[in-house]
Amino acid sequence: MAGIPVGAWAYLAGAVLCASACALPALDPAAETPWGAVALLAALYAFCEWPARWSATGRATWRVPGGSSVPVSAGSFFPVLLAAALLLPPAAAALVAVPGALAAPVEQRPAAPRRIWRAARLAIAAWAAAWAAARTSVAFGGGPDALAAAPGFPYVLLPASVSTLAFCLVLTALDGGILATAERLPLRSAWRGLLPRSLAPHAVHGLAGLMMAVLWRSPYGWPAALFVLLPMYVSCWMFAQVHRERAAHQATIRALVQAVDIKDTYTRGHSERVGHASVLIARELGMDEARLEVIRFAGILHDVGKLGVPTRVLRKDGPLTPEERRVIELHPEYGHEMVRGIGFLGEARAAILHHHERMDGSGYPYGLSGRQIPEFARVVAVADAFDAMTSTRSYRRARPIATALAELERCAGTQFDPRMVRALVRALERHGWEPAVTADDSRDPARRNVPPPRDRPRPPEPPPPGTSEGAADTSRGRAR
């Protein structure tokens, strides 16, 4: 819990107070809260969000081959909350969300604040949905019951649509706030993309919630409403399948990276850090979550083409001959050929091919310049050079982060995209960086983090004019 920022704690406290203010009126005896319906809907939602704790229906984390786990979507059963918003007063609808949100499993730690946050945000959203539905119903000349004014189709769609929209907007607003405070995202990008991604699934959930509410009020009663949940279980199963496929993607990436690390022991761990730095840059640029995942793949796999380079060249301790350098400079094309058939990599394939291009057109393999270089490749180029300079290697110590950033800024415009460099600087100011040793120094633990002595010091290869030391290392294809 110590890792949660103070601003996030304050935001969480505010959400809890707001949720309490929304739900407490239901406890007033004068409110005549329909406790039977509240208890039934709350138990139903808790049961739906809890299914995987039992072996009969799966687990809270769906097990996939290889031992990895896949989380069940926390929003799979929002129709229960949206049905409550149409059937109950706002304060009672807020209470429906609390037991299930507190009982549902949490994948990340710390668990307690995450459970409390989830309960608070859902209570506020359910209250807002019920309030919007009731106001729309009153506008139609009915009572506070959202279904009273328009008991038949298509008129009942209006309060249901307004309720769903309110639910979606409140969740989006709250989620953006927690991203800005807990993840320290800039305000301009914390909410970016949240609403467009949420509208379609919430519309589907709203329609299912309306079906539940109508069936609940039908002569068949609440048991008929339970049949609506069957499609939700099917969608949950499909969600698990998607995540199984994603886990397979992750396993593919891990296998390729491990193969590179085994072959080029000088840069062990480099690929993962480049992936992380690429995500930091991309997030500062405001890329959406789907692209963040792809650019992480791009950073992790940028050097996969080294598998096609002779090991003696990769591990050579000294200057490369012109012929060896030409062999090294083929690794982006080797990497592109290796991954071209992997469809889920998307834009990452272009980054693997072009991450050694330069803004002035003097890079390789095709000598692209400026905006001709794919955006992902420009991001990975900066992340690659930064990690190369800030990692201790077998032939030199790591450079200080400030020095590495100054070097990147010096080469911005000629070698690197200035926009990507500025984004990295902002990201490091916000999140910091943990330099790491990537040299294969396990043979002598006493010398870890210290470059080993050499019998005859060899002069380093001079970098091309206007090229940083770290970039010169990566331009040789070593990233050393």
Side-chain angles (χ1 to χ4, degrees):
M1 294 188 184
I4 299 179
V6 175
W9 281 115
Y11 190 80
L12 174 60
V16 170
L17 289 175
C18 184
S20 301
C22 292
L24 284 178
L27 304 179
D28 186 351
E32 298 182 354
T33 301
W35 288 110
V38 171
L40 185 56
L41 286 166
L44 184 60
Y45 181 67
F47 172 80
C48 289
E49 290 294 352
W50 217 53
R53 290 185 181 272
W54 308 329
S55 58
T57 54
R59 294 193 173 182
T61 54
W62 299 78
R63 304 306 299 180
V64 296
S68 59
S69 61
V70 176
V72 176
S73 173
S76 299
F77 302 103
F78 281 170
V80 178
L81 301 183
L82 292 168
L86 297 174
L87 293 167
L88 301 173
L95 286 175
V96 168
V98 176
L102 292 176
V106 174
E107 288 296 305
Q108 296 176 301
R109 297 292 182 268
R114 293 179 186 275
R115 284 196 173 95
I116 295 171
W117 161 248
R118 184 167 55 194
R121 67 188 278 272
L122 289 178
I124 296 170
W127 181 94
W131 181 89
R135 297 288 77 76
T136 306
S137 177
V138 170
F140 263 86
D145 188 330
L147 298 181
F153 286 97
Y155 307 104
V156 73
L157 290 173
L158 182 58
S161 299
V162 173
S163 174
T164 301
L165 181 60
F167 188 83
C168 180
L169 290 175
V170 170
L171 283 184
T172 299
L174 291 173
D175 288 344
I178 201 66
L179 286 174
T181 55
E183 302 294 333
R184 295 191 176 96
L185 289 185
L187 292 177
R188 66 179 181 277
S189 60
W191 283 273
R192 185 177 301 172
L194 287 180
L195 185 59
R197 289 197 303 270
S198 301
L199 280 175
H202 281 102
V204 175
H205 294 158
L207 182 59
L210 174 60
M211 294 172 62
M212 281 192 66
V214 170
L215 288 172
W216 191 290
R217 286 295 178 85
S218 74
Y220 301 102
W222 66 265
L226 300 183
F227 285 100
V228 178
L229 293 178
L230 181 59
M232 296 299 102
Y233 272 92
V234 173
S235 69
C236 188
W237 177 83
M238 294 178 65
F239 179 84
Q241 303 310 306
V242 170
H243 279 271
R244 285 192 180 96
E245 183 178 354
R246 183 179 178 185
H249 294 170
Q250 299 280 3
T252 300
I253 300 300
R254 271 197 308 274
L256 289 171
V257 171
Q258 286 172 356
V260 174
D261 285 348
I262 289 171
K263 183 162 187 175
D264 187 5
T265 55
Y266 284 116
T267 58
R268 183 165 295 160
H270 169 69
S271 297
E272 292 286 350
R273 291 194 304 278
V274 172
H276 176 60
S278 297
V279 169
L280 291 179
I281 296 171
R283 187 172 280 125
E284 284 294 322
L285 298 175
M287 293 186 187
D288 60 40
E289 289 298 322
R291 296 190 79 201
L292 290 181
E293 182 72 3
V294 176
I295 203 166
R296 187 176 72 86
F297 289 155
I300 290 173
L301 292 176
H302 73 286
D303 274 342
V304 69
K306 287 181 178 180
L307 294 174
V309 177
T311 305
R312 62 176 178 79
V313 176
L314 288 176
R315 299 187 181 185
K316 183 177 180 180
D317 189 15
L320 299 174
T321 66
E323 181 180 354
E324 290 169 337
R325 181 174 299 192
R326 283 193 293 271
V327 171
I328 283 283
E329 290 180 354
L330 290 174
H331 84 273
E333 295 177 274
Y334 290 158
H336 184 258
E337 285 298 315
M338 290 176 186
V339 302
R340 67 184 307 173
I342 305 178
F344 69 84
L345 288 179
E347 294 179 85
R349 295 193 293 268
I352 292 168
L353 179 61
H354 296 295
H355 70 279
H356 281 300
E357 306 283 5
R358 295 168 49 112
M359 295 296 288
D360 60 7
S362 63
Y364 63 89
Y366 299 131
L368 302 183
S369 62
R371 295 290 176 176
Q372 294 177 326
I373 306 171
E375 184 180 30
F376 275 23
R378 285 178 271 141
V379 170
V380 172
V382 171
D384 185 20
F386 173 74
D387 184 69
M389 287 187 282
T390 56
S391 299
T392 295
R393 306 297 169 84
S394 61
Y395 61 97
R396 63 155 173 79
R397 294 179 184 272
R399 303 178 77 176
I401 290 176
T403 303
L405 292 178
E407 193 71 11
L408 290 174
E409 290 172 338
R410 185 178 70 83
C411 296
T414 55
Q415 183 173 357
F416 307 113
D417 186 334
R419 181 164 160 256
M420 309 308 175
V421 174
R422 290 193 297 269
L424 177 63
V425 172
R426 292 195 304 269
L428 296 184
E429 288 174 352
R430 185 173 290 107
H431 301 285
W433 184 257
E434 187 70 27
V437 178
T438 56
D440 185 21
D441 52 11
S442 58
R443 291 169 296 179
D444 188 355
R447 293 179 180 172
R448 288 179 181 173
N449 298 320
V450 180
R454 301 187 179 184
D455 295 334
R456 293 199 312 270
R458 295 173 178 166
E461 295 178 76
T467 304
S468 69
E469 176 188 336
D473 289 336
T474 57
S475 70
R476 293 203 304 266
R478 292 180 172 185
R480 288 174 53 184

